[in-house]
Amino acid sequence: MSTLRRDFATREALVAYIAQEFPEATGPVSPIRGGRQAALAQLAAIQPETYGDTRNYLDGTVTRLSPYLRHGVLALTEVRDWLQQRRYSWKTAEPLVRQLAWRAYWQTLYDQWGDGIWEDREPYKTGWQPEDYANDLPGDIPDASTGLLCVDSFSRELQDTGYLHNHVRLWLAAYVVHWRRVKWQAGARWFLEHLLDGDPASNNLSWQWVASTFSHKPYYFNQDNLARYSRRRWCEACPHDGRATCPFRGSYEQLARRLFPHADLHRLGTRR
Amino acid sequence: MPTSIVWVHGDSLSPTNPALATYPSAPAVWVWDDELLRAWRISRKRIVFIYECLLELPVEIRRGDVVTEIRAFAQEKGAQKVVTTSSPSPRFQRFCRELAQTLEVEVLPVPALVPVTPGMDLQRFSRYWKVAEKVIYR
């Protein structure tokens, strides 16, 4: 077996070589660069002071370190140590350190469960049974042709860039599992094809958290939440805005009755 | 003649990973796992990202069946031992078991962000965090 090349004058030359060597791997290339140098530059640019208050907003100062952390280009401990060395207080550092701990937690569970992360860890708490969920992703979701500006944009961003803001991941996953009633495994496989940080543990167990097979209740959202954290980026131009045709319109109670008619509503509660 | 090689895998793409740091002069190898790429339908952008990481590492880049390629690389270098960095992936652990049939395998741990102790409650993140937050930051 011959070895693969390492001498590329430009990124374009590398991409052309990859297209030739791996013809079955298709699609666009991400603007996000791989490598330790890119990882260290990204680390140097993080903004711990504003991270905690803004991380749920799409224009918040999130770190975008996940592709590097997933592949061990940067260790979790390096990010924690970076914060400690700069003497950030626990109050400032805590929101970011907590997110690092989520990844460590998923990895610990992966170590224990192995390929069991592909199985429902617990029953769905949605009032639906596993067989009520479709096995495959409906084509209009990867085709970005659902007609919902937000969802179609999320789908394109995933496939074009290999990166999604965490809140967008939650919205898109909730849409797939709860609005379209598709098994979380189908969505998880789709994400793993595309996410640069696609890691079976963080990915699958987060999908299970949304689905409620690894949490006390399903994660779902409404239009108010999406509009607020996206600053109405999609609602503004969406033909469904302000109309009953927006599937996300309504209070959490109204949506719970619509999405989970057989569930115990008291147990579902509401999530922000 | 070196007696060890370093195997770099997809969870350890730093030039400072424990295996490369501990064996800085050992020849190192990466193997594109053709079966995994096919099974997971890995898209081009993920391959480009990983390839860019590899170009900053002192590794020979190969592809095919991972265990076969590592064995061949070890033989070419006259090595009897494979050193690598730990991973929770069951596929990684299976490869290590297969390699251990013909080679010595040393798996170096990644420094833990949160030390996991026996009996630690992992049922929910909130319970894990109650323990973790006490030790995670100084």
Side-chain angles (χ1 to χ4, degrees):
Chain A
M1 174 57 105
S2 64
T3 61
L4 271 66
R5 280 177 49 198
R6 299 185 47 104
D7 55 323
F8 301 101
T10 62
R11 192 180 208 218
E12 290 65 36
L14 169 65
V15 171
Y17 179 69
I18 287 172
Q20 171 197 316
E21 285 292 320
F22 300 91
E24 61 289 354
T26 54
V29 171
S30 176
I32 300 170
R33 302 281 179 133
R36 175 76 173 175
Q37 295 310 313
L40 293 177
Q42 199 66 36
L43 178 61
I46 66 172
Q47 299 176 56
E49 297 90 344
T50 51
Y51 176 82
D53 287 340
T54 67
R55 58 177 286 271
N56 285 323
Y57 290 90
L58 302 198
D59 59 3
T61 55
V62 296
T63 67
R64 299 175 71 100
L65 290 175
S66 58
Y68 307 105
L69 293 171
R70 181 263 176 264
H71 284 295
V73 187
L74 205 58
L76 291 173
T77 48
E78 285 184 281
V79 181
R80 188 265 320 272
D81 294 350
W82 188 93
L83 294 164
Q84 281 183 169
Q85 281 157 13
R86 281 157 190 76
R87 302 194 180 281
Y88 284 105
S89 68
W90 173 239
K91 188 171 178 293
T92 303
E94 192 263 355
L96 180 48
V97 173
R98 183 192 293 255
Q99 295 307 309
L100 299 175
W102 269 104
R103 177 170 165 82
Y105 175 63
W106 297 137
Q107 294 285 299
T108 300
L109 293 176
Y110 193 24
D111 202 37
Q112 298 197 352
W113 294 342
D115 289 326
I117 60 165
W118 285 99
E119 296 158 15
D120 296 347
R121 300 308 311 177
E122 299 166 14
Y124 280 90
K125 285 90 180 174
T126 54
W128 301 106
Q129 299 303 309
E131 54 272 22
D132 296 322
Y133 293 83
N135 287 324
D136 298 314
L137 202 62
D140 63 338
I141 298 176
D143 289 347
S145 62
T146 67
L148 304 168
L149 287 196
C150 52
V151 169
D152 291 342
S153 170
F154 303 156
S155 170
R156 277 192 298 272
E157 191 177 1
L158 169 70
Q159 297 177 81
D160 289 349
T161 72
Y163 179 84
L164 290 176
H165 186 286
N166 185 57
H167 217 152
V168 171
R169 297 178 194 214
L170 295 177
W171 293 330
L172 186 52
Y175 174 72
V176 168
V177 177
H178 302 312
W179 272 269
R180 302 299 295 270
R181 213 174 306 138
V182 173
K183 284 196 173 75
W184 65 262
Q185 287 91 338
R189 282 194 298 271
W190 183 45
F191 271 24
L192 286 175
E193 285 178 33
H194 296 289
L195 286 175
L196 300 186
D197 61 29
D199 171 271
S202 298
N203 181 64
N204 290 18
L205 295 171
S206 298
W207 274 87
Q208 299 221 40
W209 185 85
V210 167
S212 74
T213 56
F214 190 48
S215 61
H216 294 303
K217 51 194 175 188
Y219 169 85
Y220 59 106
F221 64 95
N222 65 7
Q223 193 203 354
D224 289 346
N225 174 277
L226 192 149
R228 176 176 173 209
Y229 288 100
S230 67
R231 306 197 195 279
R232 290 185 52 77
R233 192 183 298 178
W234 295 284
C235 300
E236 212 60 65
C238 185
H240 302 289
D241 185 41
R243 312 174 82 147
T245 53
C246 172
F248 312 125
R249 194 175 181 214
S251 68
Y252 280 93
E253 290 72 16
Q254 288 168 327
L255 286 171
R257 275 196 291 274
R258 202 184 311 154
L259 296 172
F260 315 116
H262 311 300
D264 175 355
L265 287 180
H266 282 295
R267 281 198 61 199
L268 284 178
T270 57
R271 271 191 174 133
R272 187 167 55 90
Chain B
M1 185 67 103
T3 57
S4 301
I5 59 160
V6 167
W7 168 32
V8 172
H9 56 72
D11 291 343
S12 64
L13 294 179
S14 168
T16 64
N17 82 45
L20 288 172
T22 311
Y23 292 82
S25 56
V29 66
W30 160 276
V31 185
W32 287 105
D33 183 343
D34 275 338
E35 192 183 271
L36 182 103
L37 293 181
R38 245 194 327 274
W40 287 26
R41 299 161 41 104
I42 293 297
S43 60
R44 180 175 299 164
K45 58 190 162 293
R46 293 203 66 180
I47 294 181
V48 170
F49 180 86
I50 293 169
Y51 216 119
E52 286 176 327
C53 296
L54 295 175
L55 294 179
E56 292 184 26
L57 300 180
V59 290
E60 181 169 305
I61 303 172
R62 303 170 76 122
R63 72 178 295 177
D65 176 74
V66 175
V67 171
T68 305
E69 292 300 319
I70 294 171
R71 280 200 184 119
F73 185 76
Q75 195 171 13
E76 283 168 32
K77 304 296 175 187
Q80 292 84 44
K81 181 167 147 182
V82 181
V83 183
T84 191
T85 303
S86 71
S87 161
S89 155
R91 189 173 179 84
F92 165 80
Q93 288 165 8
R94 177 162 60 80
F95 290 157
C96 286
R97 283 195 298 275
E98 287 177 29
L99 286 168
Q101 290 168 10
T102 55
L103 293 159
E104 186 187 338
V105 177
E106 181 180 2
V107 181
L108 295 171
V110 178
L113 182 72
V114 178
V116 176
T117 50
M120 193 170 176
D121 189 347
L122 298 170
Q123 193 58 38
R124 289 288 183 257
F125 177 78
S126 53
R127 302 183 203 169
Y128 170 87
W129 180 247
K130 266 191 190 133
V131 178
E133 66 177 346
K134 295 196 179 81
V135 296
I136 203 168
Y137 200 75
R138 287 189 188 86

